[in-house]
Amino acid sequence: MNRRGELDAIVVGGGAIGAALTLALARDEFDVALVEARAPKPWREEDDPDLRVVALASDARDLFEKLGVWSTIANARVGPYRRMHVWDGTAPGALTFDAADEGKAALGWIIENRLVQHALWQAVEAERNARLVCPGEVASIANENDGVEAVLADGTRLRARVAIAADGAESPVRAMLGIDAKGRDYVQRGLVANVTTARPHEHTAWQRFLPTGPLAFLPLADGRCSIVWTLSDAQAARVLALDDDAFRAELGAAFDFRLGEITATTPRAAFPLRLRLADRYVSGRVALAGDAAHVVHPLAGQGMNLGLRDVACLARVLRDARERGGDIGAAHVLRRYERERRSENALAARGLDAIERVFTANDPLIPVARGAGLSLVDRLAPLKGLLASIAAGRA
Ligand SMILES: Cc1cc2nc3c(=O)[nH]c(=O)nc-3n(C[C@H](O)[C@H](O)[C@H](O)COP(=O)(O)OP(=O)(O)OC[C@H]3O[C@@H](n4cnc5c(N)ncnc54)[C@H](O)[C@@H]3O)c2cc1C
């Protein structure tokens, strides 16, 4: 904090993106406050794995290594996947990506969201340059000539050179700044559960495309699979209400019993799916990052990975500005971040949206493509490069 009691940065939202950014900035000797409305539930080894997991790509893992949290995560519970196998539920053809072809040990890692957040929070708490304000809710934010001021619901005032809103898909800060976010509601839910299968998951991320949307089985460290089943809102409500036996039978059939019968399941939860892209990432001295800036379909597990690339970019841009002796909240500094990230995030979001349209029955062209006997591989051809990049964590 400087002599005027001013911080370098305020980060709003302590999900994975806000916490990772706070840590990156604190490690770079910036004075930073992280404001989070709700304390996260702690991760404990003896608890059943969190139902929310992410497929982390290699560059996200590199960032966590650099921030010193990867060992905490890896020593706790991580499910590496070496292959990704994608196939169509209604037509022949399949695609397989193998880590060995890329000369890598793994294509990615399945990690519980709660563990990611836990590891990052522990590290933030140990940082002398970081101040954790939790519970703390940003009620208003105002740009001033030489700084930005956030007022919390309890009246606390924080002043900094720059603020970053990593306050999630509904981003109250984005609304306070009058930034619009466009996209579409998929009218779908991602139904999640952890299930036991008769056969081992082979450290493979499996994805079957059904007319309703993709069904993914992701390999957990304990031998079970975390499933993400895309269903229409109405179907999700019906499947959530099934008893466990009926759910196991229906899930096994939807997955074509690729790993045999589903022998056990945890309770289920479902999350609404949407595409949303903020019109701008910057307003004055405030920048958006993570889901506050972009929400994508989870079919290739990219949301958090894209947000972590925002983190790496922001940390680099702010560091460069300071090294040049400039104002870290200046418009040209934040615009550089916006230029680098907005187009890449939009490209990934639109690519995922195109894949979703190609596979679901919602697209009017699909019955024609199916009728013409086009295989999954044919229909995917224009998008195969994107899928390969996504599988390799380069999208
Ligand atoms: C079914 C499903 C599966 C997914 N699978 C994957 C995957 O495999 N791989 C992947 O990379 N991504 C995946 N994602 C996406 C990923 O979960 C998100 O992109 C990521 O968690 C977003 O993190 P975030 O930190 O931006 O936002 P959030 O985690 O939403 O955090 C925002 C935080 O801001 C806080 N907050 C909000 N308003 C305020 C305020 N006014 N003041 C203070 N704090 C505030 C909230 O309490 C919250 O803690 C998936 C998503 C879904 C729905």
Side-chain angles (χ1 to χ4, degrees):
M1 218 176 284
N2 67 17
R3 271 176 285 132
R4 293 159 61 194
E6 187 183 67
L7 297 148
D8 291 314
I10 300 165
V11 176
V12 187
I17 304 311
L21 180 64
T22 303
L23 189 58
L25 295 180
R27 291 274 160 84
D28 276 340
E29 301 286 326
F30 285 111
D31 278 322
V32 49
L34 173 61
V35 185
E36 166 55 54
R38 281 177 297 277
K41 223 173 141 189
W43 181 90
R44 294 183 317 178
E45 196 178 348
E46 60 273 28
D47 290 345
D48 212 38
D50 187 7
L51 287 187
R52 289 284 306 263
V53 304
V54 285
L56 213 69
S58 346
D59 64 332
R61 176 203 150 126
D62 292 346
L63 177 69
F64 285 165
E65 290 239 14
K66 204 170 134 216
L67 295 176
V69 293
W70 178 252
S71 57
T72 312
I73 293 172
N75 291 334
R77 210 155 47 197
V78 168
Y81 62 97
R82 304 194 185 102
R83 281 198 322 145
M84 184 166 138
H85 186 75
V86 182
W87 78 105
D88 195 334
T90 56
L95 291 172
T96 302
F97 302 94
D98 204 311
D101 297 339
E102 296 264 334
K104 293 177 178 171
L107 284 176
W109 295 265
I110 307 298
I111 307 172
E112 296 152 63
N113 282 28
R114 194 183 300 154
L115 173 57
V116 172
Q117 202 181 9
H118 173 81
L120 288 165
W121 272 59
Q122 267 193 334
V124 167
E125 275 164 347
E127 274 305 314
R128 64 183 168 81
N129 298 323
R131 178 175 152 202
L132 201 49
V133 185
C134 180
E137 194 170 342
V138 171
S140 71
I141 195 152
N143 275 300
E144 292 160 6
N145 266 350
D146 58 349
V148 52
E149 186 176 72
V151 182
L152 311 192
D154 68 359
T156 306
R157 288 171 186 273
L158 296 171
R159 247 186 86 82
R161 310 292 294 169
V162 66
I164 297 96
D167 51 350
E170 300 305 325
S171 180
V173 171
R174 188 181 66 213
M176 287 171 207
L177 297 169
I179 299 179
D180 200 14
K182 297 197 181 64
R184 71 181 177 114
D185 190 342
Y186 288 109
V187 206
Q188 290 173 340
R189 282 178 189 254
L191 187 143
V192 298
N194 295 335
V195 302
T196 310
T197 51
R199 288 202 294 275
H201 54 47
E202 301 169 22
H203 300 285
T204 298
W206 306 87
Q207 183 136 262
R208 185 179 196 216
F209 279 90
L210 295 160
T212 44
L215 166 60
F217 273 54
L218 306 171
L220 291 174
D222 66 4
R224 287 187 288 175
C225 287
S226 159
I227 65 132
V228 185
W229 192 358
T230 302
L231 293 164
S232 71
D233 284 356
Q235 287 164 327
R238 185 185 64 76
V239 174
L240 278 174
L242 293 175
D243 65 38
D244 280 2
D245 289 349
F247 171 68
R248 289 189 295 105
E250 209 166 304
L251 176 66
F255 195 55
D256 204 18
F257 298 103
R258 183 57 71 110
L259 298 175
E261 302 281 340
I262 312 295
T263 55
T265 181
T266 59
R268 291 144 252 163
F271 301 91
L273 305 184
R274 45 183 99 97
L275 166 72
R276 198 164 284 173
L277 295 168
D279 284 352
R280 292 177 286 137
Y281 280 15
V282 176
S283 172
R285 292 173 173 273
V286 189
L288 309 179
D291 275 18
H294 44 81
V295 182
V296 302
H297 197 288
L299 70 87
Q302 282 305 291
M304 189 182 290
N305 289 305
L306 293 172
L308 290 170
R309 283 173 210 155
D310 297 347
V311 169
C313 178
L314 262 172
R316 172 167 45 79
V317 163
L318 298 187
R319 192 170 53 232
D320 285 356
R322 183 184 54 194
E323 272 165 19
R324 286 196 304 271
D327 174 0
I328 59 168
H332 71 273
V333 173
L334 299 185
R335 264 204 302 273
R336 189 175 145 206
Y337 158 69
E338 182 179 52
R339 261 199 315 275
E340 279 189 36
R341 294 303 308 152
R342 193 161 160 260
S343 51
E344 193 195 309
N345 288 329
L347 205 67
R350 299 239 154 76
L352 296 169
D353 190 49
I355 294 173
E356 197 277 336
R357 283 174 196 269
V358 164
F359 283 106
T360 58
N362 302 335
D363 193 304
L365 292 176
I366 297 313
V368 179
R370 288 211 166 112
L374 290 180
S375 73
L376 169 138
V377 181
D378 296 327
R379 282 182 282 130
L380 251 191
L383 301 164
K384 196 179 170 195
L386 177 74
L387 259 185
S389 313
I390 286 170
R394 295 187 304 258

